[in-house]
Amino acid sequence: MENIQVNRLLLVCQNRTCRKQGSVKVLTVFQALNIPNIKVEKSGCLGKCGSGPIVLVLPDEVWYSHVDVQSISAVVEQHLLD
Ligand code: FES
């Protein structure tokens, strides 16, 4: 059995307001990147609807707002590669 180690969970809000702001595409790109030790999941509303798409990294509790496809690589480089 393969032992997959997951250090962090990255949630991408897929509720209505964030979806209108492009969160489906953001989720698709994060999933396609297959970042080591990061589990990517969609989530319901994270309570910050005006600033979407919202991304939350756990257990760090680091929030990213207005995440678009162009800013994904910055999130990955700053936070997810270590
Ligand atoms: S709809 Fe995404 S935070 Fe509320």
Side-chain angles (χ1 to χ4, degrees):
M1 194 164 78
E2 199 179 347
N3 183 9
I4 300 173
Q5 195 187 353
V6 174
N7 292 336
R8 292 197 184 99
L9 176 63
L10 186 144
L11 296 174
V12 186
C13 176
Q14 298 294 292
N15 208 23
R16 194 175 51 190
T17 310
C18 282
R19 272 208 319 265
K20 273 193 207 149
Q21 296 165 320
S23 67
V24 173
K25 189 143 201 186
V26 171
L27 175 67
T28 305
V29 172
F30 270 119
Q31 285 173 329
L33 285 174
N34 250 327
I35 310 158
N37 303 331
I38 306 290
K39 185 175 187 191
V40 178
E41 280 189 354
K42 58 185 175 182
S43 83
C45 179
L46 293 167
K48 298 181 189 290
C49 315
S51 308
I54 292 289
V55 170
L56 171 61
V57 184
L58 296 173
D60 317 53
E61 287 195 39
V62 173
W63 295 82
Y64 291 94
S65 57
H66 303 294
V67 178
D68 56 17
V69 171
Q70 286 74 30
S71 57
I72 285 176
S73 60
V75 172
V76 172
E77 281 164 25
Q78 280 171 26
H79 194 128
L80 303 178
L81 299 179
D82 60 14

